[in-house]
Amino acid sequence: MTDDKVTAEVIALLARIVARFTKDYEDAASAQDLTTVQAKVLAALAEPMPMHRIAEKLGSERSNVTGIIDRLEARGLVERHADTRDRRIKNIVATEAGRGLAGNFQRSLSFAAEPLAALGPADRVHLRDLLERMVGEGD
């Protein structure tokens, strides 16, 4: 830990935010009869994606992703399509039902929207910029 009181407070606040977001995420997924991992996959499928990229996004083993995709496919939420350039590669595509469920899921994530609405536009931009700097995407 750190001796800097403000840094310790920021770390504690971030931990509370993560815990609240995780709970909201789990509740939103459950309301759509999805596991959190299934919800993450559907949310990531804005465009067709090969399974190895899904595994990278999830930080998961490809074999685990195969099982997740199998369960989503059995529910009619995704389909496997051969890649047009390399037929050995299977792209995962959300079906209309899968896109609808993903949209319902994302709209039901209320945790972040409510507290952010209490901030003015300039504060939200400033917060976004600070968070980008923290994660290294503002470079």
Side-chain angles (χ1 to χ4, degrees):
M1 197 79 170
T2 179
D3 289 333
D4 176 7
K5 185 177 187 299
V6 173
T7 298
E9 290 170 347
V10 169
I11 290 169
L13 287 167
L14 288 172
R16 287 176 54 197
I17 289 168
V18 168
R20 286 177 58 189
F21 179 78
T22 300
K23 170 104 173 68
D24 194 49
Y25 203 92
E26 289 168 352
D27 291 348
S30 179
Q32 301 301 318
D33 197 27
L34 297 168
T35 66
T36 56
V37 176
Q38 290 171 334
K40 287 178 185 178
V41 169
L42 283 177
L45 288 176
E47 59 186 44
M49 189 179 303
M51 284 212 284
H52 73 273
R53 289 236 359 258
I54 294 170
E56 289 170 5
K57 281 184 167 277
L58 296 177
S60 182
E61 295 293 321
R62 290 183 191 185
S63 59
N64 292 340
V65 172
T66 299
I68 294 164
I69 298 303
D70 287 346
R71 288 185 286 285
L72 290 172
E73 188 174 38
R75 289 183 57 187
L77 302 174
V78 299
E79 296 175 339
R80 289 173 166 95
H81 293 192
D83 188 84
T84 55
R85 292 170 290 199
D86 185 344
R87 299 197 58 78
R88 296 172 296 176
I89 297 173
K90 299 295 182 211
N91 286 316
I92 307 307
V93 179
T95 63
E96 185 174 330
R99 287 188 300 276
L101 203 59
N104 291 342
F105 165 74
Q106 292 192 327
R107 282 187 295 279
S108 69
L109 288 173
S110 60
F111 160 68
E114 288 177 24
L116 287 174
L119 300 177
D123 285 339
R124 286 194 306 271
V125 168
H126 186 64
L127 177 60
R128 181 211 54 209
D129 294 347
L130 289 171
L131 291 171
E132 282 179 345
R133 281 180 41 202
M134 286 178 65
V135 297
E137 293 178 6
D139 299 340

